[in-house]
Amino acid sequence: MTRHFLRDDDITPAEQLEILDLADRIKADRWGTRPLDGPQTVAVIFDKSSTRTRVSFAVGIADLGGQPLIISTETSQLGGKESIADTARVLERMVAAIVWRTYAQSGLEEMAAGTKVPVVNALSDEFHPCQLLADLQTIREHRGTLAGLTVAFLGDGASNMSHSYLLACATAGMNIRVGAPIEFEPSAEVVSKATEIAETTGGSVAVLTDPVAAVGGADVVVTDTWVSMGQEDEKAARVAALGGYKVSPELMAHAADDALFLHCLPAYRGYEVDAAVIDGPQSVIWDEAENRLHAQKALLAWLLAKSAS
């Protein structure tokens, strides 16, 4: 059966651990895992601009022995003259996997339903699951374990990063708190699913409006840009509403003394985070950025192996 990775709960807790363990092995032996030897080709499709996603997938696919085929929807037929379903059936005849950075989650679901090769969500408006694999790998590197740790996500609770943090941390048996204004609360469906998962893993889920309560005693503090692609016209309103959730040194002081700070980048210093935090000793953002490479290589290798079995 073909396996896809469209949202963080597409994998079980045991499978998440398998992928993270493989990511650690791949990081220790960068060119030792080569399931794409041939070279086989992986289609990497971009509806949105990208730096870390583009570089990490292109380099990672090459490291795995394959060849990345970077496709821009602006210069392809996808979503224009050709349907997603037809594109999926064409690509499966030529590539080993499909990676897509897009807008609507529904497009990824249609792509996965129409193809026999693994489809990976490289970012959608609803979820960013590849980033979470890298974030969990980073936290585990610095803390040795994940289960039982408390993570606080501050800012736009309705964002793809918040949704992925809820699902991925619950899957890992972590305590995830989202601190956000009421008008930026996460999806009720995602909170419900994360709570359901946490009940089986020993984790917990909380959605709070008080940023101090959200951060209190946390082992990890996370934020993301307040203005994502397509939201530029809302910048002034979003900054005004989210201003109290900026991760400042004063807010970080409420977390554990050795709390880590994560941000998936790009970051806007002075908005969602102060420079003193993101450039300070508690920040692990550069490890986090590098781990996109290792975590995604592990994910691709794992999906290909599972889909072949």
Side-chain angles (χ1 to χ4, degrees), residues 261-277:
F261 174 77
L262 278 75
H263 190 307
C264 68
L265 303 175
Y268 300 90
R269 291 163 175 81
Y271 285 88
E272 72 270 13
V273 60
D274 279 338
V277 174

Side-chain angles (χ1 to χ4, degrees), residues 35-36 42 57 60-61 64 97-99 118 120 295-305:
L36 292 171
V42 175
F57 269 112
I61 291 161
L64 293 174
I98 300 167
V99 177
V120 174
Q296 288 164 187
K297 287 171 64 178
L299 173 66
L300 282 172
W302 187 87
L303 288 171
L304 291 166

Side-chain angles (χ1 to χ4, degrees), residues 15-294:
E15 290 172 339
Q16 183 190 71
L17 186 58
E18 285 178 16
I19 295 168
L20 292 174
D21 285 345
L22 179 56
D24 287 345
R25 294 196 298 273
I26 285 174
K27 186 170 184 176
D29 181 13
R30 180 168 168 177
W31 293 281
T33 302
R34 296 180 63 84
L36 292 171
D37 265 342
Q40 298 179 66
T41 298
V42 175
V44 189
I45 308 169
F46 289 93
D47 293 350
K48 296 184 176 185
S49 60
S50 169
T51 299
R52 277 153 297 281
T53 299
R54 185 183 297 264
V55 173
S56 57
F57 269 112
V59 172
I61 291 161
D63 284 357
L64 293 174
Q67 176 173 294
L69 174 62
I70 308 297
I71 302 171
S72 168
T73 49
E74 293 179 354
T75 55
S76 73
Q77 306 290 2
L78 176 60
K81 293 181 180 179
E82 188 164 61
S83 69
I84 293 171
D86 285 355
T87 299
R89 295 185 69 181
V90 170
L91 289 177
E92 75 177 13
R93 302 294 184 99
M94 304 180 192
V95 303
I98 300 167
V99 177
W100 192 8
R101 181 180 174 96
T102 187
Y103 291 91
Q105 186 76 12
S106 59
L108 284 155
E109 293 168 358
E110 185 177 353
M111 181 76 78
T115 185
K116 297 176 183 176
V117 300
V119 176
V120 174
N121 178 0
L123 176 145
S124 70
D125 288 345
E126 287 85 359
F127 302 100
H128 199 354
C130 287
Q131 181 66 56
L132 260 291
L133 289 176
D135 288 10
L136 294 182
Q137 183 181 12
T138 305
I139 295 166
R140 203 167 71 150
E141 282 179 342
H142 287 268
R143 289 293 175 265
T145 188
L146 295 174
L149 295 180
T150 296
V151 178
F153 180 92
L154 275 295
D156 183 357
S159 67
N160 51 11
M161 282 297 294
S162 172
H163 290 161
S164 278
Y165 257 95
L166 283 161
L167 294 176
C169 289
T171 300
M174 305 172 83
N175 305 305
I176 173 67
R177 304 175 189 157
V178 173
I182 291 175
E183 62 268 34
F184 289 91
E185 283 186 341
S187 157
E189 182 272 327
V190 173
V191 173
S192 176
K193 186 59 187 292
T195 301
E196 178 185 327
I197 294 170
E199 289 173 353
T200 70
T201 62
S204 66
V205 174
V207 178
L208 308 168
T209 56
D210 182 353
V212 173
V215 169
D219 302 291
V220 182
V221 178
V222 189
T223 192
D224 187 23
T225 178
W226 293 340
V227 186
S228 297
M229 283 174 280
Q231 298 174 334
E232 290 81 6
D233 292 344
E234 306 169 25
K235 180 177 179 179
R238 295 176 72 85
V239 168
L242 294 166
Y245 297 83
K246 177 173 70 172
V247 183
S248 63
E250 293 75 21
L251 187 57
M252 278 293 291
H254 293 281
D257 291 342
D258 61 348
L260 304 174
F261 174 77
L262 278 75
H263 190 307
C264 68
L265 303 175
Y268 300 90
R269 291 163 175 81
Y271 285 88
E272 72 270 13
V273 60
D274 279 338
V277 174
I278 195 169
D279 299 320
Q282 292 172 278
S283 175
V284 292
I285 62 168
W286 308 122
D287 293 339
E288 180 186 8
E290 178 191 340
N291 284 339
R292 287 290 300 275
L293 172 66
H294 311 301

